[in-house]
Amino acid sequence: MTFSILPPAASPRAARGTSPCSDTSLDSDGDIDATRPPKRSKIGHKAVITPGEVVTEDSQWMRGHGTTASPDSTVILATVAGTLLRTNKLLSVQPLRARYTPEIGDLVVGRIVSVETKRWKVDLSAPLLAHLPLSAINLPGGILRKRTATDELAIRTFFSEGDLLVAEVQSVYQDGAASLHTRSLRYGKLRNGVFMRVSGTGGGGGVVRSRRQVWTVTTANGGGEVDMVLGVNGYIWICKHSRGELVASTEEAKKMNEITKMEEAVNESMYSNRNDEIGPQTRREIARLGGCVRALVENGVRVDEEMVMAAYGMSLEGDTDMDGAQEEEDEYMGGEKGKRVVAAALESVR
């Protein structure tokens, strides 16, 4: 008897899986084989995502802020207009315009809206008003002691409704409200300047968290020194630098060899409501810095120390014509002039 060896034949199941008309392999129940996962959808790289737009359909991603998903589907949809942020497997949408969300350690500029028992309510452009406890401020003279009933009765002598202040976020409550403190000579009541409100860290052109939020600008045209305070919440304060007055009072106290009087001279001005005399040159440079900030915001550029100083330098160069004469009749920083200044500032920092 002769035996013939035949070549191995493919099984019907394998033939079905490798059929050119079939895109996926099927198991015994007719379902997709788990050994061959379907292709995963890629995350788009669009600059702006609109509300209702599909972010992804892949189940490996988790939804974060600014997104939503139905319980019976893996589709993640955007709920706000903004840019897509990816943190490991977490997807979130950062809105283009949003209210400030307090974080511990943020330097903020706020306005007192109400005075309550042992605390003030402060507007930070956040969803909830912030709290400034009476125990979280410096007393005049730098005295360190427990707050008494006398301090509670004199609470309006420190801050009253409408006062502006610079403070630091000390803690954040569970409901999102911030607790502030001004236990430093860098913080306290603001005066001798101008207040501006722009967009904060919500996105787009506005104030961003940077290395320095407070610095001193040595202005041109005899304006002297000007302080810039960029609050992370989008509130900006531009004022005359008061270091010279404090140094003068400190030197006078040193001559008297009385440390207590030196501390009192430095701290008494912290809660003063009277503005000092500001010269026209200083006012002009304060207005110029404010115009630079507005130009940056109108053109969607971040507001930080680097960009503000670059825009200020370009504005000074733009005021000088080809002959080197100063153009004093046109000081407006908006419109086409603002666009040119911002474009030159962006080019200079690259």
Side-chain angles (χ1 to χ4, degrees), residues 13-14 16-18 22-28 30-37:
R13 178 182 175 184
R16 277 198 312 269
T18 58
S22 177
D23 295 332
T24 57
S25 60
L26 303 177
D27 57 9
S28 60
D31 299 328
I32 297 177
D33 190 0
T35 60
R36 289 187 59 187

Side-chain angles (χ1 to χ4, degrees), residues 268-340:
E268 279 180 355
S269 61
M270 292 177 57
Y271 301 109
S272 175
N273 291 322
R274 179 175 298 179
N275 290 327
D276 301 328
E277 183 66 26
I278 302 177
Q281 295 83 0
T282 304
R283 295 184 182 183
R284 179 180 178 182
E285 297 309 310
I286 289 176
R288 182 189 298 273
L289 286 169
C292 293
V293 172
R294 292 190 185 94
L296 292 174
V297 174
E298 290 175 358
N299 291 273
V301 181
R302 72 182 191 275
V303 179
D304 57 6
E305 180 184 3
E306 181 183 23
M307 290 307 305
V308 171
M309 295 307 299
Y312 180 72
M314 293 299 107
S315 68
L316 293 176
E317 294 181 3
D319 281 355
T320 305
D321 57 12
M322 299 301 295
D323 299 331
Q326 293 292 329
E327 299 179 356
E328 297 184 0
E329 65 276 4
D330 186 11
E331 299 178 359
Y332 179 60
M333 292 294 297
E336 294 297 327
K337 182 178 180 181
K339 293 181 179 179
R340 292 195 303 267

Side-chain angles (χ1 to χ4, degrees), residues 243-254 261-262 265-266:
R243 174 185 171 186
E245 299 172 1
L246 295 181
V247 170
S249 60
T250 303
E251 291 178 352
E252 181 180 356
K254 284 183 177 179
K261 288 189 176 182
M262 179 182 66
V266 173

Side-chain angles (χ1 to χ4, degrees), residues 73-87:
S73 175
T74 60
V75 178
I76 298 179
L77 303 175
T79 58
V80 295
T83 56
L84 181 64
L85 297 180
R86 284 175 288 184
T87 306

Side-chain angles (χ1 to χ4, degrees), residues 179-258:
S179 178
L180 310 178
H181 81 90
T182 60
R183 297 192 196 94
S184 174
L185 294 179
R186 298 184 303 166
Y187 309 139
K189 185 179 292 189
L190 298 174
R191 59 194 186 99
N192 299 329
V194 61
F195 171 77
M196 297 181 60
R197 177 176 181 176
V198 300
S199 58
T201 57
V207 180
V208 298
R209 292 182 175 88
S210 59
R211 183 172 57 90
R212 284 203 307 176
Q213 303 291 140
V214 181
W215 74 93
T216 301
V217 181
T218 303
T219 59
N221 304 323
E225 294 183 336
V226 174
D227 289 336
M228 289 285 301
V229 182
L230 301 182
V232 180
N233 57 332
Y235 290 174
I236 299 176
W237 181 256
I238 309 174
C239 65
K240 173 186 175 182
H241 187 52
S242 59
R243 174 185 171 186
E245 299 172 1
L246 295 181
V247 170
S249 60
T250 303
E251 291 178 352
E252 181 180 356
K254 284 183 177 179
K255 292 180 181 178
M256 300 174 63
N257 294 325
E258 296 182 8

Side-chain angles (χ1 to χ4, degrees), residues 10-179:
S11 62
R13 178 182 175 184
R16 277 198 312 269
T18 58
S19 175
C21 62
S22 177
D23 295 332
T24 57
S25 60
L26 303 177
D27 57 9
S28 60
D29 296 331
D31 299 328
I32 297 177
D33 190 0
T35 60
R36 289 187 59 187
K39 294 182 179 180
R40 295 178 177 177
S41 59
K42 296 182 179 179
I43 304 299
H45 297 278
K46 292 182 61 177
V48 177
I49 296 179
T50 57
E53 184 176 351
V54 177
V55 179
T56 183
E57 299 178 358
D58 197 348
S59 59
Q60 68 169 331
W61 298 96
M62 297 182 297
R63 66 181 185 89
H65 295 290
T67 61
T68 184
S70 59
D72 56 349
S73 175
T74 60
V75 178
I76 298 179
L77 303 175
T79 58
V80 295
T83 56
L84 181 64
L85 297 180
R86 284 175 288 184
T87 306
N88 296 329
K89 295 296 182 180
L90 181 67
L91 293 178
S92 59
V93 179
Q94 182 179 9
L96 297 177
R97 296 183 64 87
R99 281 186 169 271
Y100 164 67
T101 302
E103 294 184 8
I104 297 176
D106 284 349
L107 185 141
V108 294
V109 175
R111 184 186 297 274
I112 302 294
V113 295
S114 65
V115 181
E116 300 181 357
T117 305
K118 297 183 180 180
R119 66 176 182 178
W120 297 267
K121 288 290 189 69
V122 187
D123 175 27
L124 299 181
S125 187
L128 298 175
L129 296 177
H131 304 272
L132 177 61
L134 180 61
S135 59
I137 68 171
N138 281 331
L139 294 177
I143 303 173
L144 300 177
R145 58 173 174 79
K146 184 178 179 180
R147 307 308 189 260
T148 61
T150 304
D151 298 324
E152 296 179 19
L153 294 175
I155 190 172
R156 291 182 183 274
T157 61
F158 306 121
F159 297 105
S160 59
E161 291 85 348
D163 287 344
L164 290 169
L165 59 92
V166 56
E168 181 180 341
V169 178
Q170 185 177 18
S171 61
V172 179
Y173 299 106
Q174 293 183 353
D175 59 353
S179 178

